[in-house]
Amino acid sequence: PQQAEEAGEGEIMEAFLSSFYASHVPPAEIVIADDIEAREFLSEAIGAKISWYQRGDKAKIAANVKNNAKESLERKMALENSVRNNLIEMQRVFNLPKMPERIEVYDNSHIQGSYAVGAMIVATPQGFDKKAYRTFNIKDPQITNDDFAMMREVLGRRFAKMTSENRPDVILLDGGL
């Protein structure tokens, strides 16, 4: 049988299948691009037929899926390396004691003094952390035209809820002067 192109790919696939399907319901059939040593054992263990085709449409599809996954992983790794290099450069330029792990960016907006909102986005070495994004409705109606007062309210509310897990290394403010 055809062996995996790189040493360890088979072991990685075996580990992934056993781990993933320990907590997910498997489909009736799982098609893999390269044969693995424990295919029959894993089939029984996870309760799904694990198939490996050497030729035909299913073999071509599995090979395409494998290539797409590799390319996607390479793109993700290149992006993370680029982000990491930018963070290292930021550390150097601003003489920071360590590479920033969490950057928070704040901005305010309003529509002619109404509907005042503050927003926070979060960037990490892995990219933007959209689950950490927050919006802050400005509670004091007297400050909706005052960017500085709005930012003071937003930052005050944010830092009142700060913990060691969500403490920013760098804060960027967009708000005029």
Side-chain angles (χ1 to χ4, degrees):
Q2 175 185 342
Q3 297 300 313
E5 291 176 10
E6 297 177 23
E9 275 189 22
E11 291 85 5
I12 293 170
M13 180 58 76
E14 289 175 13
F16 169 77
L17 290 172
S18 61
S19 174
F20 185 80
Y21 289 113
S23 60
H24 293 82
V25 177
E29 181 181 21
I30 299 168
V31 178
I32 56 177
D34 298 307
D35 200 11
I36 55 176
E37 197 171 308
R39 184 164 40 99
E40 291 178 25
F41 173 78
L42 273 174
S43 284
E44 284 186 35
I46 65 175
K49 179 181 177 187
I50 300 176
S51 303
W52 170 63
Y53 296 95
Q54 296 180 35
R55 6 179 212 289
D57 290 341
K58 289 184 180 179
K60 289 176 187 174
I61 291 169
N64 283 337
V65 167
K66 178 182 174 181
N67 288 336
N68 289 343
K70 278 185 173 184
E71 289 173 7
S72 178
L73 181 59
E74 288 168 2
R75 281 191 304 276
K76 182 174 175 43
M77 290 172 60
L79 177 63
E80 285 183 10
N81 284 336
S82 174
V83 168
R84 185 171 189 77
N85 289 340
N86 288 338
L87 291 173
I88 290 169
E89 181 66 6
M90 181 181 205
Q91 176 187 5
R92 185 190 69 73
V93 167
F94 291 103
N95 198 25
L96 301 173
K98 68 180 185 95
M99 182 187 81
E101 296 288 327
R102 182 181 175 97
I103 300 172
E104 293 183 359
V105 182
Y106 294 87
D107 194 7
N108 296 323
S109 69
H110 58 83
I111 300 172
Q112 297 178 345
S114 299
Y115 308 105
V117 176
M120 174 189 80
I121 63 169
V122 177
T124 70
Q126 292 74 42
F128 289 104
D129 182 1
K130 294 181 180 179
K131 290 181 181 177
Y133 287 13
R134 297 289 177 268
T135 57
F136 302 85
N137 291 323
I138 302 301
K139 294 180 178 180
D140 184 346
Q142 303 301 314
I143 64 172
T144 58
N145 276 326
D146 183 344
D147 272 354
F148 294 110
M150 288 170 57
M151 191 63 73
R152 184 174 29 257
E153 180 180 320
V154 168
L155 294 175
R157 288 168 53 196
R158 163 62 181 99
F159 294 142
K161 295 187 180 194
M162 186 167 59
T163 66
S164 59
E165 290 83 37
N166 69 5
R167 177 170 303 180
D169 297 309
V170 173
I171 297 170
L172 300 175
L173 304 176
D174 184 1
L177 298 174

